[in-house]
Amino acid sequence: MTATSATSDAQAAREALAAWYAANGRHDLPWRQIRDPYAVLVSEVMLQQTQVERVLPYYHAWLERWPTFDALAAAAPADVITAWRGLGYNRRALALRAAARAVVESHAGAFPWEPRELLALPGVGPYTAAALRAFVRDEPVAVLDTNIARVVARFVLGAPSQREIPAHRLRAAAEALLPRTGVRDHNLALMDLGALVCTARNPDCGGCPLALACAWRASGCPPPEASARRPAVRFETTARFARGRLVDRLRSGPADEAELAAILPEPHRPRLAEYLAALEAEGLVAATGGGLWALPV
């Protein structure tokens, strides 16, 4: 394939993807209808390891209560943790508040777009930074969430899963697909294609706008390489489950260690002190004196 034909094929793929997205994209998602860095950051943090449908009511309630960086920066940690109830991974709530405080206190309320300053915000890693730059400012950066990475791995590199491709190759392939303009919609289109059509299991190749040029499909859709899987662990047996129970109980008010132990399944009770110490170190709970524990104030 010549460079000219490769460029032509890539352009054709971008055009097919754009047409599919215009007709089938999830345009009604509220964080796609704005370019406010605060609101987009809230959505990105909430969506980490959490399904869209679960996030939607929390997103609306959060922005109604804390609509700006200033408002969130002034919020009490206990209020932020309480509002996060049901989303899981409670440290995300404190990281979001810490990021708001950093914007207000270190950047005079102006969102920092310089890459090093952006990555220095609590809770903002390479993916979130790329998402903010693409979705707020339409910058020419590839956003590689799980869905986009899977589409790129299959369409460009012929692999059944992004797990079989080194990160630097995935990024290079995604960057090569970027259009000169309209990067925001391009990334969102790939994201929706992976979520709705090119799914991890049972992809709908017949409904895919990229199917005719898909390297994975051209190779016969080989399955992922077999890998040894660890035996499934019941969530109720994990420290994360126990720690979540403790934080959830303290959302209702202070409690002593006897009360906290009583809400844990028996196998977890000997580790209560360990769990509380870890939660305290993360800023999620605080000892208040008199043997009581509470959310931080």
Side-chain angles (χ1 to χ4, degrees), residues 110-124:
F111 195 74
W113 291 109
E114 194 281 322
R116 287 176 297 178
E117 293 180 342
L118 179 55
L119 286 168
L121 292 178
V124 174

Side-chain angles (χ1 to χ4, degrees), residues 12-14 16-17 151 155 177 190 193 207-215:
R14 286 191 286 266
L17 177 66
V151 172
F155 173 66
L177 274 180
L190 286 173
L193 188 66
C208 179
L210 305 181
L212 293 179
C214 178

Side-chain angles (χ1 to χ4, degrees), residues 26-80:
R26 296 177 292 180
H27 306 287
D28 58 339
L29 292 177
W31 44 84
R32 294 193 179 179
Q33 300 172 20
I34 53 174
R35 300 292 186 100
D36 172 29
Y38 172 71
V40 174
L41 177 61
V42 170
S43 73
E44 287 298 329
V45 174
M46 286 187 172
L47 287 165
Q48 292 169 7
Q49 299 178 295
T50 308
Q51 295 296 318
V52 167
E53 293 74 16
R54 189 176 181 185
V55 164
L56 281 167
Y58 288 91
Y59 174 81
H60 289 298
W62 189 279
L63 290 186
E64 183 174 347
R65 185 170 185 181
W66 299 299
T68 64
F69 284 116
D70 290 273
L72 182 57
D79 290 340
V80 171

